[in-house]
Amino acid sequence: MKYKQGMLIVVSGFSGVGKGTVIQLLIDSMPNLQFSISCTTRAPRVGEENGVNYFFLSEEEFEKKIAAGEFVEYTKTFTNYYGTLKSEIDAPLAHGVDVLLELNVVGARNIKELYPDCITVFIAPPSLDVLKARLIGRGTETQESIERRIKEIEIESKEIRNYDYCVTNNVARSCADKIVNIIRSEHLKVSRQNMTNIFNSEA
Ligand code: 5GP
């Protein structure tokens, strides 16, 4: 059976912007959307589960997968590796399932080069002050980690202009709804639909 190819959706956003909540709402709203579980060498946060939020690997395990060519993209931030497994995206896409990737700006840029048809969405905070307050308030980060993440924010903000869409996360539900609308509209693009033979009775 030949399936219609699924669509790749890349979501990025500053640390602490509330991507996790928005992504969960998105997944819950769209049955044909599958979250690509990345690999990382960072330690799990409270409440995070191996094989659900990430595949948590040691540095050695991660490097073995690099050597085996298992990643479609990977990046090393200040201290940790993050990477997208080929197996998480190629099979679902081929079966017509849409795949959602949560990537930093480097990963998003790399994926856009490899999959020019993907759509990239940046989730922005209402303001930088709100973001800093959220980052401190979530209580999961050390002072050093917060400072590092604020530096990353400065770098990432220069990349927003390269995204296809930018949505502000004031309220997670309405932010998720906007992304649902983006995905539905993208599916309706003529270039994404197989219009061949619609008016051809011999079809
Ligand atoms: P966190 O440690 O807060 O879960 O994620 C830190 C950053 O890594 C976020 O910007 C997140 O989007 C990004 N990230 C998560 N998984 C991947 C991945 O597989 N590849 C890349 N390039 N970035 C990722």
Side-chain angles (χ1 to χ4, degrees):
M1 179 168 174
K2 180 110 175 68
Y3 293 91
K4 183 176 174 290
Q5 176 88 1
M7 199 164 71
L8 206 52
I9 300 109
V10 177
V11 171
S12 304
F14 305 130
S15 255
V17 78
K19 279 176 302 208
T21 311
V22 172
I23 286 173
Q24 194 53 56
L25 290 168
L26 263 179
I27 302 285
D28 293 345
S29 319
M30 306 198 86
N32 195 43
L33 183 63
Q34 187 173 306
F35 180 64
S36 158
I37 304 167
S38 293
C39 295
T40 184
T41 55
R42 87 147 161 74
R45 295 191 186 112
V46 176
E48 284 184 332
E49 273 181 61
N50 189 37
V52 176
N53 308 90
Y54 283 104
F55 296 112
F56 294 100
L57 305 180
S58 67
E59 205 158 299
E60 194 189 345
E61 287 168 327
F62 199 104
E63 285 170 354
K64 265 195 195 150
K65 287 190 185 295
I66 296 175
E70 289 186 42
F71 292 113
V72 64
E73 67 77 39
Y74 69 91
T75 188
K76 195 169 189 187
T77 60
F78 290 88
T79 44
N80 294 305
Y81 279 118
Y82 292 87
T84 309
L85 292 167
K86 284 181 187 160
S87 55
E88 283 291 305
I89 60 177
D90 286 344
L93 285 183
H95 286 80
V97 174
D98 292 339
V99 178
L100 182 72
L101 305 179
E102 189 218 318
L103 303 178
N104 68 358
V105 293
V106 178
R109 207 188 314 127
N110 290 337
I111 288 288
K112 191 73 174 175
E113 265 175 43
L114 289 167
Y115 299 84
D117 278 355
C118 77
I119 58 167
T120 54
V121 182
F122 197 90
I123 303 181
S127 73
L128 204 55
D129 285 346
V130 170
L131 183 67
K132 283 184 188 164
R134 279 189 202 164
L135 208 50
I136 295 164
R138 80 180 174 189
T140 56
E141 313 295 324
T142 59
Q143 184 60 30
E144 190 201 349
S145 158
I146 289 171
E147 280 166 19
R148 214 186 313 115
R149 281 167 190 272
I150 288 172
K151 277 203 191 102
E152 282 175 34
I153 287 169
E154 286 166 12
I155 299 165
E156 287 184 343
S157 60
K158 299 195 176 89
E159 294 274 342
I160 300 177
R161 66 176 71 103
N162 300 322
Y163 280 73
D164 298 316
Y165 298 92
C166 180
V167 286
T168 301
N169 185 17
N170 276 311
V171 177
R173 177 76 265 170
S174 58
C175 180
D177 286 344
K178 282 178 197 156
I179 303 177
V180 167
N181 289 337
I182 290 169
I183 295 172
R184 289 194 177 136
S185 305
E186 284 283 338
H187 270 298
L188 294 175
K189 275 191 172 165
V190 170
S191 57
R192 290 192 193 272
Q193 296 189 56
N194 183 1
M195 309 297 280
T196 345
N197 295 332
I198 279 187
F199 296 110
N200 182 348
S201 56
E202 289 168 24

